């Protein structure tokens, strides 16, 4: 896998041939295996190839890779998750279909990524995992949806106009709600 990745990941012609020979199917099955090293190498190749070729992104999304990567992120955290997040970020950044699939409630991806940010954000060695997670969340849920009640605003969300915003000085959390309308 490493050798094939080195030879083909930056070459559109080689990537096209790799796809014709069902290389992407083999790669997806490798990423699904319970081997952090294999997942890391496979996701690195997916990330690299997806930045070179829009066709690779389309093939990966059509093969259900968004769902597969989301499933892996539900498993206990290991060092391969940084590369899984990187591959997922590349897909959702470059494909509206991937973004829609990632938003599906049955995947629980927004919740998993939000929890991952909370658990890892104070650990410097996981800063890339946190950044990838926040970037994905920004693409999936960019705006805060205000209600009548105070709610926490996530780091990656923007608050629409017409909202009251406050900062909880004890926790450092930003809170917002809809502006109260006066009865006329």
């Amino acid at each position: 896998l490493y050798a094939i990745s080195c030879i083909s990941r930056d070459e559109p012609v080689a990537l096209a041939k790799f796809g014709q020979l069902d290389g992407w199917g083999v790669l997806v099955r490798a990423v699904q295996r319970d081997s952090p090293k294999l997942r890391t190498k496979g996701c690195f190749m997916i990330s690299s190839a997806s930045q070179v070729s829009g066709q690779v992104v389309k093939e990966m999304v059509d093969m259900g890779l968004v769902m597969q990567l989301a499933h892996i992120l539900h498993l206990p955290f290991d060092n391969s998750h940084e590369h899984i997040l990187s591959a997922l970020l590349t897909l959702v950044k470059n494909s509206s279909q991937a973004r829609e699939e990632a938003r599906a409630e049955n995947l629980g991806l927004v919740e998993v990524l939000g929890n991952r940010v909370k658990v890892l954000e104070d650990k410097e060695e996981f800063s890339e995992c946190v950044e990838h997670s926040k970037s994905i969340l920004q693409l999936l849920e960019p705006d805060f949806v205000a209600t009548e009640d105070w709610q926490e605003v996530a780091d990656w969300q923007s608050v629409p106009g017409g909202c009251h915003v406050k900062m909880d000085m004890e926790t450092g959390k930003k809170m917002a709600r809809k502006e109260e309308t006066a009865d006329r």
Side-chain angles (χ1 to χ4, degrees):
L1 181 60
Y2 180 72
I4 292 170
S5 177
C6 289
I7 293 168
S8 65
R9 69 176 175 240
D10 295 325
E11 298 295 329
V13 174
L15 293 172
K17 188 67 171 177
F18 188 72
Q20 290 171 357
L21 298 171
D22 192 36
W24 301 122
V26 172
L27 189 59
V28 168
R29 288 190 295 280
V31 168
Q32 292 171 337
R33 307 256 339 230
D34 188 20
S35 170
K37 282 187 177 184
L38 209 49
R39 284 182 181 158
T40 298
K41 299 285 187 211
C43 286
F44 180 79
M45 184 173 178
I46 290 165
S47 295
S48 299
S50 295
Q51 293 176 22
V52 172
S53 170
Q55 183 60 32
V56 170
V57 173
K58 182 178 179 348
E59 289 180 41
M60 294 287 103
V61 173
D62 288 347
M63 293 176 76
L65 189 60
V66 171
M67 184 178 72
Q68 297 299 326
L69 296 175
H71 170 74
I72 294 168
L73 291 172
H74 282 276
L75 299 174
F77 182 80
D78 66 42
N79 290 333
S80 71
H81 284 211
E82 175 184 332
H83 297 281
I84 292 164
L85 289 165
S86 177
L88 184 59
L89 175 58
T90 304
L91 295 176
V92 298
K93 194 185 293 186
N94 294 308
S95 167
S96 58
Q97 180 184 344
R99 281 190 296 281
E100 286 307 310
E101 289 180 16
R103 285 184 184 113
E105 283 193 39
N106 64 330
L107 289 184
L109 192 55
V110 170
E111 182 180 345
V112 166
L113 294 176
N115 289 337
R116 188 69 43 90
V117 167
K118 287 178 185 172
V119 169
L120 300 178
E121 69 184 339
D122 294 329
K123 299 177 181 170
E124 187 176 329
E125 65 272 24
F126 300 118
S127 62
E128 287 191 43
C129 286
V130 171
E131 288 307 311
H132 293 326
S133 296
K134 285 182 178 180
S135 294
I136 294 167
L137 287 165
Q138 175 66 39
L139 290 164
L140 300 181
E141 286 195 332
D143 296 320
F144 175 78
V145 178
T147 65
E148 305 287 322
D149 299 319
W150 289 104
Q151 299 176 72
E152 183 178 340
V153 179
D155 293 341
W156 62 88
Q157 291 180 315
S158 58
V159 178
C163 290
H164 285 283
V165 179
K166 70 178 181 179
M167 174 77 74
D168 183 327
M169 299 307 280
E170 289 182 24
T171 64
K173 303 288 183 186
K174 183 168 50 170
M175 309 285 285
R177 70 174 183 190
K178 281 184 182 178
E179 190 171 348
E180 295 178 29
T181 57
D183 291 333
R184 293 180 183 200

